[in-house]
Amino acid sequence: MLLGKKRKLGRKIEDITVGEKLKLTEKVEDKDLLLYLGLTNDGNPLYIQHDFASTTSFEKPVVPNIMLTGIVTSAVSKYMPGPGSYICEQHLIFKKPVYHYATIDFLLEVTDVDVRGNLATIRVEGTDEEGAICIEGKVVAQPPKTSNKLTTQAMENF
């Protein structure tokens, strides 16, 4: 179990520069969709029922947008700035539906670094296999910043 173990933290704000980029590719598989739907108890037929989805303007089941948001927030937590980061703000626009089995290329780019406020603004763009933008927006994250405060005080005998 990982509880209580020290883990490597992500980069501090002073180590982040405007223009840094991270590219990652994610393929949406059945297991991912089933896990999401099971965890959230989200029974939207647009996400899983092919017969229902075929009667809509989407024509086939779509990936829940919150799953795509999860991929973005996971990239912040794992890589940019990394473990220990906290997302303060996010604004994502879903320009085009993402369908089951899609492969999405995500590009994250640091557009602003506020050292004093300990905030990094990261532009987000997701493109599908055809090169069409399906997700765009920004995330503002606080990189890890540890406090040097004592967590316990030693008792002194007087």
Side-chain angles (χ1 to χ4, degrees), residues 135-156:
I135 304 159
E136 68 179 5
K138 75 172 185 173
V139 172
V140 179
Q142 273 186 344
K145 184 175 184 177
T146 56
S147 164
N148 291 332
K149 295 179 188 173
L150 290 175
T151 56
T152 61
Q153 288 186 320
M155 297 295 288
E156 293 183 3

Side-chain angles (χ1 to χ4, degrees), residues 29-107:
E29 302 282 352
D30 283 339
K31 66 177 177 51
D32 305 316
L33 291 159
L34 293 173
L35 183 60
Y36 165 79
L37 295 170
L39 285 173
T40 61
N41 197 25
D42 188 341
N44 187 339
L46 184 58
Y47 299 151
I48 200 76
Q49 294 179 4
H50 292 265
D51 56 341
F52 171 77
S54 69
T55 66
T56 71
S57 61
F58 297 102
E59 299 179 351
K60 52 189 175 181
V62 299
V63 174
N65 289 341
I66 196 68
M67 278 185 62
L68 302 170
T69 301
I71 293 169
V72 171
T73 60
S74 177
V76 170
S77 293
K78 291 193 282 189
Y79 308 113
M80 187 185 272
S85 299
Y86 177 76
I87 295 176
C88 307
E89 176 185 339
Q90 61 184 357
H91 178 78
L92 299 174
I93 299 169
F94 301 93
K95 300 183 77 136
K96 181 180 175 195
V98 172
Y99 297 103
H100 292 202
Y101 312 112
T103 299
I104 305 297
D105 289 322
F106 289 91
L107 177 64

Side-chain angles (χ1 to χ4, degrees), residues 101-122:
Y101 312 112
T103 299
I104 305 297
D105 289 322
F106 289 91
L107 177 64
L108 284 74
E109 179 181 2
V110 176
T111 58
D112 186 58
V113 176
D114 175 2
V115 175
R116 180 175 254 178
N118 193 42
L119 297 171
T121 302
I122 302 163

